[in-house]
Structure formats: structure tokens, C-alpha cells
Amino acid sequence: EKVRVAAAECHPFPEYLLDECPIRTVAVQAGSGHSVLQHHKVDLWVTGEMSHHDVLAANANGISVILTEHSNSERFFLPIMRDQICDQLKTRNAPNVTVFIAT
């Protein structure tokens, strides 16, 4: 139930959840994801945890971050999380979003 959202300036919160979604690419990484995600320029990172400074750096580079708590993002759950993200985005008229899962 708990998530933390750090929206980049180009993705004003909560407007990026509405019909005119500027987010087109999402990367999902289990656990503590910064070491993997930092190499991928996407609009949104979804991971379990990340340091405060890494979140600020992502936001400064135009990447929004959603933190789901470490245990909520373990590998077995990533395909389920991807499907849930895609379903939510479809209901918000964002059909052209690509969701990547780190393996």
C-alpha cells in the first residue's frame, strides 16, 4: 500500500497520472535499483528503494521515481507489477507506454 513518488519537473504530480500522460517509457527493477537503472534514460523508474541523492539526481535528469519498498519489488513480483502498471496506464489513455523489466 505504501509507495513514494518523486516526480521530475517535466512530470508534474499528479497530472502525469491523468489523460495527457507525458510518460512514455518505464523501467522496473527489483530491490534497490539505482545501479541498474542509472544506465537507462526513461521517463519513470519503479524500484524498491533508492538513496535520497540518487532520487534527486534522477529528477534533475527528467526521470520520475516511484519507490515501492524493497520487499514489494522482488523479482517474482516484477511481471505482475509490469502488468498492473500497463493496465493502469491504459485506463488513463496512455497506450503508447513501454515498460521494461530488468532481468
Side-chain angles (χ1 to χ4, degrees), residues 7 9-23 92:
E9 192 173 313
C10 57
H11 306 134
F13 183 79
E15 287 81 5
Y16 73 86
L17 298 174
L18 302 176
D19 292 342
E20 297 177 16
C21 177
I23 293 175
R92 289 173 169 80

Side-chain angles (χ1 to χ4, degrees), residues 55-75:
V55 171
L56 291 177
N59 287 169
N61 287 307
I63 301 169
S64 292
V65 178
I66 295 178
L67 302 176
T68 64
E69 302 297 333
H70 191 101
S71 60
N72 295 336
S73 69
E74 292 301 335
R75 293 197 183 281

Side-chain angles (χ1 to χ4, degrees):
E1 296 287 325
K2 288 186 175 181
V3 297
R4 290 178 280 161
V5 176
E9 192 173 313
C10 57
H11 306 134
F13 183 79
E15 287 81 5
Y16 73 86
L17 298 174
L18 302 176
D19 292 342
E20 297 177 16
C21 177
I23 293 175
R24 297 287 177 243
T25 53
V26 179
V28 180
Q29 169 65 33
S32 181
H34 182 259
S35 62
V36 172
L37 295 174
Q38 68 180 337
H39 305 292
H40 301 281
K41 177 65 173 148
V42 297
D43 298 316
L44 173 65
W45 291 344
V46 179
T47 190
E49 60 189 11
M50 190 177 285
S51 80
H52 174 74
H53 295 286
D54 291 339
V55 171
L56 291 177
N59 287 169
N61 287 307
I63 301 169
S64 292
V65 178
I66 295 178
L67 302 176
T68 64
E69 302 297 333
H70 191 101
S71 60
N72 295 336
S73 69
E74 292 301 335
R75 293 197 183 281
F76 74 90
F77 186 65
L78 292 182
I80 296 167
M81 186 184 298
R82 178 200 53 220
D83 294 345
Q84 290 177 347
I85 291 169
C86 289
D87 289 346
Q88 288 296 311
L89 291 169
K90 285 178 190 172
T91 65
R92 289 173 169 80
N93 281 337
N96 297 322
V97 175
T98 303
V99 179
F100 301 96
I101 293 182
T103 56

